[in-house]
Amino acid sequence: LLSIDLILLITWTVISPSTFVRIQIEGSEDRFGRTNSFNQCLWGNDESKTSYFVLKQLLQIFDLVTIAILAYYAYRSRSISTEYNESTWIGLIIYIYLEISFIRTILFLSFKPGQRTFLLVYTVFVFFNSLSILLLIFVPKKIALQNEKKEKLRKKKMKKLRMERSRLFFDAINEEQKIEVQSLH
């Protein structure tokens, strides 16, 4: 799956390279004579722009198919008992990703690319998507490892307590045997 993704991205870059352009906003001069501007990647001709949109759609469709496959396998493996129960967390991550993607798509229909609001909203969506993935992958494992360490410490204490009881028991038996041996002599 990664190689297919990589092939699509390389094809996208080779077929439809974009160029960096700084666009000056007319009439937005400050008191020092500086004009405001924004940056944008543009395509030289309509053919590369069309290629860009086609390859972007192919990449998005491929990513959706990949997510569907992951959701299927997470669902199939939900009853498999593993040490950290990862399929539950993967399923939750996929659900959150799809929900964020759905909301993002609806919001982006009302924005034009290149607007500052578009960039801000896009950044917030990327942040929450990344945060949900990182938290749902690592926090449950950290909690499970802490519980595992606590359990090992508890077992070690119990073993030490059993050994102490056994030692006391055998010491008491040895004392009784010594007393019996002394009473026989």
Side-chain angles (χ1 to χ4, degrees):
L1 293 175
L2 181 64
S3 59
I4 294 171
D5 216 10
L6 190 61
I7 290 169
L8 280 172
L9 288 171
I10 289 171
T11 306
W12 184 1
T13 304
V14 170
I15 291 176
S16 177
S18 58
T19 55
F20 175 80
V21 177
R22 181 180 302 267
I23 300 172
Q24 301 289 334
I25 301 173
E26 293 183 29
S28 64
E29 196 172 301
D30 65 5
R31 64 183 180 161
F32 301 108
R34 297 175 296 196
T35 58
N36 289 330
S37 64
F38 64 93
N39 306 321
Q40 196 171 15
C41 289
L42 298 174
W43 293 267
N45 55 30
D46 289 336
E47 184 180 316
S48 61
K49 192 173 187 178
T50 305
S51 301
Y52 162 77
F53 287 112
V54 168
L55 287 167
K56 182 179 176 184
Q57 295 302 320
L58 279 174
L59 191 62
Q60 288 176 342
I61 290 169
F62 175 73
D63 287 343
L64 278 174
V65 169
T66 303
I67 289 172
I69 291 169
L70 289 173
Y72 171 74
Y73 281 114
Y75 178 77
R76 291 274 317 262
S77 64
R78 72 189 183 284
S79 62
I80 298 172
S81 178
T82 61
E83 192 170 352
Y84 302 117
N85 198 13
E86 286 134 341
S87 64
T88 302
W89 302 111
I90 291 171
L92 190 56
I93 288 168
I94 292 170
Y95 172 74
I96 290 171
Y97 177 78
L98 290 175
E99 188 175 345
I100 287 174
S101 296
F102 179 72
I103 294 169
R104 182 180 65 200
T105 304
I106 290 173
L107 280 175
F108 285 170
L109 292 175
S110 64
F111 291 116
K112 293 178 189 175
Q115 288 181 331
R116 289 183 185 195
T117 340
F118 178 84
L119 182 61
L120 177 67
V121 171
Y122 188 76
T123 304
V124 168
F125 278 117
V126 168
F127 172 75
F128 281 115
N129 194 25
S130 301
L131 185 68
S132 68
I133 290 171
L134 291 173
L135 288 178
L136 290 174
I137 288 292
F138 292 113
V139 170
K141 287 183 182 177
K142 178 70 175 164
I143 291 170
L145 286 172
Q146 286 178 341
N147 290 341
E148 194 175 293
K149 285 181 183 179
K150 286 179 186 177
E151 184 64 23
K152 282 183 182 179
L153 283 173
R154 188 188 67 77
K155 285 181 179 181
K156 191 174 181 180
K157 286 180 184 179
M158 292 299 291
K159 183 179 179 181
K160 187 176 180 181
L161 184 62
R162 282 194 308 271
M163 294 294 286
E164 184 64 27
R165 286 182 187 162
S166 298
R167 188 186 61 78
L168 290 174
F169 176 74
F170 286 117
D171 285 349
I173 290 176
N174 282 339
E175 283 296 319
E176 286 178 16
Q177 288 177 350
K178 284 181 185 177
I179 292 173
E180 280 183 27
V181 168
Q182 286 177 354
S183 65
L184 289 176
H185 289 305

